[in-house]
Amino acid sequence: KYVDAEVVYREVLSKRREQLGAEHRDTLATLLSLGNVCAEQGKFDDALAAYKKVRTIQERVLGA
């Protein structure tokens, strides 16, 4: 089921980036969820990349 969830999260992420922008909180929440799904599958490099992207955007938008 995680494989299916990953596909869906990637599709939703793409749409949210298009419609809401990369820095919107819903887009970031989806990216975080994608990272979680990747981690559950043992795709730790993908998960870490997603988490770092979320953190980088949050720091830029919200301040560090």
Side-chain angles (χ1 to χ4, degrees):
K1 292 193 176 201
Y2 287 119
V3 173
D4 295 336
E6 181 182 353
V7 170
V8 171
Y9 277 123
R10 288 189 187 281
E11 290 172 1
V12 171
L13 181 61
S14 176
K15 293 294 182 187
R16 286 194 169 168
R17 281 181 174 151
E18 288 175 19
Q19 296 175 358
L20 303 174
E23 297 179 349
H24 192 278
R25 67 176 182 242
D26 292 342
T27 305
L28 294 177
T30 302
L31 183 56
L32 182 62
S33 294
L34 175 60
N36 293 338
V37 167
C38 289
E40 288 293 333
Q41 296 178 85
K43 297 180 179 181
F44 300 116
D45 289 340
D46 291 342
L48 184 59
Y51 297 149
K52 285 182 176 181
K53 182 85 171 175
V54 169
R55 186 185 70 196
T56 298
I57 293 171
Q58 285 180 331
E59 287 176 347
R60 184 174 62 247
V61 172
L62 303 175

